[in-house]
Amino acid sequence: MQNMQHQPRLGRAHLSRTAGRRPYVPFRRRYAGYPHPPQAQLQLLMALLWALWALMRQVARFLWSGRLKRKPSLRRPLMCVLPLLLLSMVAGPSGAQQGGTKAPLAALRIGDALPPTFWDTPLQLLHGGQEPRPGSLREYADSELLLLDFWHTSCASCISSMRHAEALQAQFKGRLQVLAVTVQDAATVQRFAAHNEALQQSRLPLLLQDSLLKSYFPHRLLPHLVFIRHNRLQHIGGSEAMDEAAIAALLNDSDSSFALYKDDFAEQRPLLSAGGIASEGSLYYSLLTGYRRDAAAVVGLLPDTLGSSKRLYRYNQSLQQLLSYALDSSPVDKNRIVFEDTELNLAATAYHRHMGDRLQWLLRHSYCYEAQLPLHTPDSSIRQGLLTSIEQALGLRCSLAEREIPVLRLAAPNRPTEGPQEGRFALSYLIDAYNRLPSALPLLDPDNLAAHCFVERRSLADCTAEQLLAAMREAGLQLREERATLPIWLIKGRRAHEQN
């Protein structure tokens, strides 16, 4: 923990904010997952509007009777309005149910039993590229472990998570059933699948146009996972729950890593609680910790104008992501991160799919950073504070630099390349895929050949650097190895930096 300093006492209103009270949540988020606000509040609002209308009517009558020089009695109408208002306030919640209006579904908690309506409500199912058909969750009620995977076509991590879920379902064949749930309709999903190879190959059952399940399990972040076993809710969390060891432990009724609940609103609870120090005024601090199990991989900046402060949070981020913000730099390719005199290496700094399961990598190597600062702190100071925290905590010195390093230079082809056509895509896809590989030399395209060359379409997910270079040579492109001065991220051990 660094940069802690106490400020003068700012008054009761400010202390109530720093004493741990729940921050203000906009109305739409306060009732996340419900189509309408609770009926009691709606009834009260209607009663207040009716009472206001009745009062205005009586005032108008009073003014009109005054013009006619009559003595009106305002007391009697008011005595009629007030009892009706009180009666409507008391009877509001019960009247909402007795009037036949369907109340919103209550969100389920871990340990709750699933109601019959959960299993029997009609749903639209899409399976294996077939046409959509009506069905219900009753078809999957006998599954030993049922996993609901909430996703959306705009969520790239959801698609990759579905591939991982399908692999786990095959591994625990007969014991684990995964259902992919979305609020989107069949036409939207099928139109997206036509251009997405991962979704085309998936054989997971899809639940479409969902309006019931999102009410039982309200959320605002995706992917969102729900585990059900023996008709009881076992776990609600993020994508890190899709873990082989944890699922095996859950199926065998042994200890699992599902003890902590992944909360969509976890970032509203600071890493460092202000309770117990509220009487001394506002606390400014910065804090760097490891992976936070109850929070998703989120970033944000929450201003508190009442307390004249703001809180920056960046949870469950790789060191590469944190440095990108701290150095005010776009993330460089992994082959442009240089380490000197430090035990830290690329495998613990930036993730690539060749490093194994992303969720397990985050558990071991990601960080959470949080800082509470004065409201008008400039952005440059915020970035410098994060950089200082990283350097002090990890014993590093991190900077942007220019260094002469070995590279591959792309030269013009010795024969004309074919233009865009079906079955071919731009060369830029190959170059991007190659430069993202940790062990590849930086590939330069000084003549912007990527904009004019097209190569045979292929899956790039599991290609090695040698395979990508071979594909470029097959297209007639020339590759020359040389040295060039390029911008890099230089990460040094602290001792080496101090000696220099």
Side-chain angles (χ1 to χ4, degrees), residues 255-277:
D255 293 336
S256 74
S257 61
F258 288 167
L260 294 175
Y261 165 62
K262 179 71 69 175
D263 187 358
D264 275 357
F265 297 89
E267 73 271 14
Q268 294 181 358
R269 295 189 296 274
L271 291 171
L272 181 65
S273 173
I277 57 174

mmCIF file of all heavy atoms in Angstrom, residues 255-277:
data_model
loop_
_atom_site.group_PDB
_atom_site.id
_atom_site.type_symbol
_atom_site.label_atom_id
_atom_site.label_comp_id
_atom_site.label_asym_id
_atom_site.label_seq_id
_atom_site.Cartn_x
_atom_site.Cartn_y
_atom_site.Cartn_z
ATOM 1 N N ASP A 255 -14.611 -30.667 -1.637
ATOM 2 C CA ASP A 255 -14.350 -29.232 -1.614
ATOM 3 C C ASP A 255 -14.040 -28.746 -3.025
ATOM 4 O O ASP A 255 -13.311 -29.379 -3.782
ATOM 5 C CB ASP A 255 -13.181 -28.905 -0.688
ATOM 6 C CG ASP A 255 -13.530 -29.186 0.757
ATOM 7 O OD1 ASP A 255 -14.733 -29.182 1.064
ATOM 8 O OD2 ASP A 255 -12.610 -29.417 1.554
ATOM 9 N N SER A 256 -14.589 -27.592 -3.376
ATOM 10 C CA SER A 256 -14.328 -27.028 -4.698
ATOM 11 C C SER A 256 -14.031 -25.547 -4.563
ATOM 12 O O SER A 256 -14.178 -24.957 -3.497
ATOM 13 C CB SER A 256 -15.538 -27.234 -5.620
ATOM 14 O OG SER A 256 -16.595 -26.360 -5.262
ATOM 15 N N SER A 257 -13.598 -24.965 -5.660
ATOM 16 C CA SER A 257 -13.275 -23.533 -5.662
ATOM 17 C C SER A 257 -14.506 -22.684 -5.884
ATOM 18 O O SER A 257 -14.403 -21.506 -6.177
ATOM 19 C CB SER A 257 -12.247 -23.237 -6.758
ATOM 20 O OG SER A 257 -12.779 -23.585 -8.034
ATOM 21 N N PHE A 258 -15.709 -23.267 -5.754
ATOM 22 C CA PHE A 258 -16.943 -22.522 -5.982
ATOM 23 C C PHE A 258 -17.448 -21.854 -4.710
ATOM 24 O O PHE A 258 -18.587 -21.403 -4.654
ATOM 25 C CB PHE A 258 -18.036 -23.454 -6.507
ATOM 26 C CG PHE A 258 -17.809 -23.905 -7.926
ATOM 27 C CD1 PHE A 258 -18.530 -24.937 -8.461
ATOM 28 C CD2 PHE A 258 -16.871 -23.286 -8.724
ATOM 29 C CE1 PHE A 258 -18.326 -25.352 -9.766
ATOM 30 C CE2 PHE A 258 -16.656 -23.686 -10.021
ATOM 31 C CZ PHE A 258 -17.385 -24.730 -10.545
ATOM 32 N N ALA A 259 -16.620 -21.821 -3.667
ATOM 33 C CA ALA A 259 -17.093 -21.279 -2.398
ATOM 34 C C ALA A 259 -17.396 -19.793 -2.493
ATOM 35 O O ALA A 259 -18.244 -19.281 -1.786
ATOM 36 C CB ALA A 259 -16.066 -21.536 -1.305
ATOM 37 N N LEU A 260 -16.695 -19.077 -3.378
ATOM 38 C CA LEU A 260 -16.886 -17.639 -3.485
ATOM 39 C C LEU A 260 -17.839 -17.313 -4.623
ATOM 40 O O LEU A 260 -17.751 -17.884 -5.702
ATOM 41 C CB LEU A 260 -15.553 -16.937 -3.696
ATOM 42 C CG LEU A 260 -14.590 -17.022 -2.512
ATOM 43 C CD1 LEU A 260 -13.259 -16.403 -2.868
ATOM 44 C CD2 LEU A 260 -15.181 -16.351 -1.296
ATOM 45 N N TYR A 261 -18.702 -16.377 -4.392
ATOM 46 C CA TYR A 261 -19.728 -15.996 -5.363
ATOM 47 C C TYR A 261 -19.216 -14.858 -6.241
ATOM 48 O O TYR A 261 -18.713 -13.858 -5.739
ATOM 49 C CB TYR A 261 -20.986 -15.555 -4.608
ATOM 50 C CG TYR A 261 -21.995 -14.811 -5.432
ATOM 51 C CD1 TYR A 261 -22.605 -15.420 -6.517
ATOM 52 C CD2 TYR A 261 -22.349 -13.509 -5.128
ATOM 53 C CE1 TYR A 261 -23.545 -14.741 -7.281
ATOM 54 C CE2 TYR A 261 -23.286 -12.823 -5.877
ATOM 55 C CZ TYR A 261 -23.880 -13.445 -6.950
ATOM 56 O OH TYR A 261 -24.805 -12.774 -7.706
ATOM 57 N N LYS A 262 -19.289 -15.044 -7.528
ATOM 58 C CA LYS A 262 -18.869 -13.994 -8.465
ATOM 59 C C LYS A 262 -20.002 -12.973 -8.588
ATOM 60 O O LYS A 262 -21.083 -13.274 -9.082
ATOM 61 C CB LYS A 262 -18.556 -14.599 -9.820
ATOM 62 C CG LYS A 262 -18.133 -13.598 -10.866
ATOM 63 C CD LYS A 262 -16.760 -13.030 -10.602
ATOM 64 C CE LYS A 262 -15.702 -14.051 -10.785
ATOM 65 N NZ LYS A 262 -14.342 -13.524 -10.648
ATOM 66 N N ASP A 263 -19.727 -11.755 -8.149
ATOM 67 C CA ASP A 263 -20.751 -10.718 -8.090
ATOM 68 C C ASP A 263 -20.548 -9.720 -9.220
ATOM 69 O O ASP A 263 -19.461 -9.169 -9.386
ATOM 70 C CB ASP A 263 -20.667 -10.001 -6.735
ATOM 71 C CG ASP A 263 -21.808 -9.022 -6.531
ATOM 72 O OD1 ASP A 263 -22.639 -8.874 -7.442
ATOM 73 O OD2 ASP A 263 -21.869 -8.414 -5.450
ATOM 74 N N ASP A 264 -21.614 -9.479 -9.996
ATOM 75 C CA ASP A 264 -21.531 -8.513 -11.087
ATOM 76 C C ASP A 264 -21.225 -7.102 -10.600
ATOM 77 O O ASP A 264 -20.729 -6.277 -11.347
ATOM 78 C CB ASP A 264 -22.854 -8.491 -11.863
ATOM 79 C CG ASP A 264 -22.893 -9.581 -12.921
ATOM 80 O OD1 ASP A 264 -21.886 -10.294 -13.063
ATOM 81 O OD2 ASP A 264 -23.908 -9.707 -13.604
ATOM 82 N N PHE A 265 -21.551 -6.812 -9.353
ATOM 83 C CA PHE A 265 -21.384 -5.461 -8.818
ATOM 84 C C PHE A 265 -20.227 -5.406 -7.804
ATOM 85 O O PHE A 265 -20.188 -4.527 -6.950
ATOM 86 C CB PHE A 265 -22.678 -4.988 -8.156
ATOM 87 C CG PHE A 265 -23.829 -4.872 -9.113
ATOM 88 C CD1 PHE A 265 -24.656 -5.949 -9.353
ATOM 89 C CD2 PHE A 265 -24.072 -3.702 -9.800
ATOM 90 C CE1 PHE A 265 -25.715 -5.849 -10.247
ATOM 91 C CE2 PHE A 265 -25.121 -3.590 -10.699
ATOM 92 C CZ PHE A 265 -25.941 -4.668 -10.928
ATOM 93 N N ALA A 266 -19.291 -6.351 -7.911
ATOM 94 C CA ALA A 266 -18.214 -6.427 -6.921
ATOM 95 C C ALA A 266 -17.331 -5.189 -6.938
ATOM 96 O O ALA A 266 -16.748 -4.826 -5.918
ATOM 97 C CB ALA A 266 -17.373 -7.679 -7.161
ATOM 98 N N GLU A 267 -17.230 -4.519 -8.085
ATOM 99 C CA GLU A 267 -16.340 -3.359 -8.147
ATOM 100 C C GLU A 267 -16.854 -2.198 -7.307
ATOM 101 O O GLU A 267 -16.142 -1.233 -7.075
ATOM 102 C CB GLU A 267 -16.143 -2.913 -9.593
ATOM 103 C CG GLU A 267 -17.332 -2.228 -10.218
ATOM 104 C CD GLU A 267 -18.284 -3.210 -10.880
ATOM 105 O OE1 GLU A 267 -18.150 -4.423 -10.628
ATOM 106 O OE2 GLU A 267 -19.151 -2.769 -11.641
ATOM 107 N N GLN A 268 -18.114 -2.277 -6.834
ATOM 108 C CA GLN A 268 -18.624 -1.220 -5.958
ATOM 109 C C GLN A 268 -18.094 -1.370 -4.535
ATOM 110 O O GLN A 268 -18.223 -0.461 -3.735
ATOM 111 C CB GLN A 268 -20.157 -1.240 -5.953
ATOM 112 C CG GLN A 268 -20.755 -0.876 -7.309
ATOM 113 C CD GLN A 268 -22.261 -0.883 -7.278
ATOM 114 O OE1 GLN A 268 -22.870 -1.200 -6.268
ATOM 115 N NE2 GLN A 268 -22.873 -0.540 -8.401
ATOM 116 N N ARG A 269 -17.495 -2.516 -4.231
ATOM 117 C CA ARG A 269 -16.895 -2.714 -2.909
ATOM 118 C C ARG A 269 -15.385 -2.587 -3.044
ATOM 119 O O ARG A 269 -14.734 -3.428 -3.662
ATOM 120 C CB ARG A 269 -17.275 -4.104 -2.368
ATOM 121 C CG ARG A 269 -18.754 -4.253 -2.114
ATOM 122 C CD ARG A 269 -19.039 -5.548 -1.368
ATOM 123 N NE ARG A 269 -18.674 -6.709 -2.169
ATOM 124 C CZ ARG A 269 -19.478 -7.284 -3.057
ATOM 125 N NH1 ARG A 269 -20.682 -6.789 -3.257
ATOM 126 N NH2 ARG A 269 -19.087 -8.343 -3.748
ATOM 127 N N PRO A 270 -14.788 -1.566 -2.475
ATOM 128 C CA PRO A 270 -13.341 -1.341 -2.652
ATOM 129 C C PRO A 270 -12.512 -2.471 -2.065
ATOM 130 O O PRO A 270 -12.954 -3.197 -1.171
ATOM 131 C CB PRO A 270 -13.100 -0.031 -1.907
ATOM 132 C CG PRO A 270 -14.447 0.616 -1.786
ATOM 133 C CD PRO A 270 -15.433 -0.498 -1.704
ATOM 134 N N LEU A 271 -11.290 -2.606 -2.569
ATOM 135 C CA LEU A 271 -10.356 -3.573 -1.996
ATOM 136 C C LEU A 271 -10.026 -3.219 -0.557
ATOM 137 O O LEU A 271 -9.852 -4.082 0.292
ATOM 138 C CB LEU A 271 -9.062 -3.597 -2.822
ATOM 139 C CG LEU A 271 -9.155 -4.182 -4.226
ATOM 140 C CD1 LEU A 271 -7.861 -3.923 -4.982
ATOM 141 C CD2 LEU A 271 -9.456 -5.657 -4.183
ATOM 142 N N LEU A 272 -9.941 -1.924 -0.274
ATOM 143 C CA LEU A 272 -9.640 -1.451 1.079
ATOM 144 C C LEU A 272 -10.886 -0.782 1.635
ATOM 145 O O LEU A 272 -11.302 0.268 1.167
ATOM 146 C CB LEU A 272 -8.473 -0.462 1.058
ATOM 147 C CG LEU A 272 -8.038 0.096 2.405
ATOM 148 C CD1 LEU A 272 -7.488 -1.019 3.281
ATOM 149 C CD2 LEU A 272 -6.985 1.174 2.228
ATOM 150 N N SER A 273 -11.507 -1.388 2.644
ATOM 151 C CA SER A 273 -12.733 -0.825 3.209
ATOM 152 C C SER A 273 -12.414 0.422 4.012
ATOM 153 O O SER A 273 -11.404 0.510 4.712
ATOM 154 C CB SER A 273 -13.418 -1.861 4.099
ATOM 155 O OG SER A 273 -14.523 -1.280 4.768
ATOM 156 N N ALA A 274 -13.322 1.414 3.922
ATOM 157 C CA ALA A 274 -13.119 2.666 4.659
ATOM 158 C C ALA A 274 -13.761 2.628 6.046
ATOM 159 O O ALA A 274 -13.676 3.569 6.791
ATOM 160 C CB ALA A 274 -13.697 3.842 3.871
ATOM 161 N N GLY A 275 -14.460 1.533 6.394
ATOM 162 C CA GLY A 275 -15.048 1.433 7.725
ATOM 163 C C GLY A 275 -13.981 1.424 8.799
ATOM 164 O O GLY A 275 -12.957 0.774 8.675
ATOM 165 N N GLY A 276 -14.192 2.113 9.873
ATOM 166 C CA GLY A 276 -13.230 2.155 10.967
ATOM 167 C C GLY A 276 -12.285 3.340 10.897
ATOM 168 O O GLY A 276 -11.614 3.653 11.866
ATOM 169 N N ILE A 277 -12.179 3.990 9.760
ATOM 170 C CA ILE A 277 -11.331 5.174 9.650
ATOM 171 C C ILE A 277 -12.159 6.366 9.203
ATOM 172 O O ILE A 277 -11.634 7.419 8.906
ATOM 173 C CB ILE A 277 -10.172 4.946 8.663
ATOM 174 C CG1 ILE A 277 -10.717 4.562 7.291
ATOM 175 C CG2 ILE A 277 -9.210 3.906 9.167
ATOM 176 C CD1 ILE A 277 -9.640 4.474 6.230
#
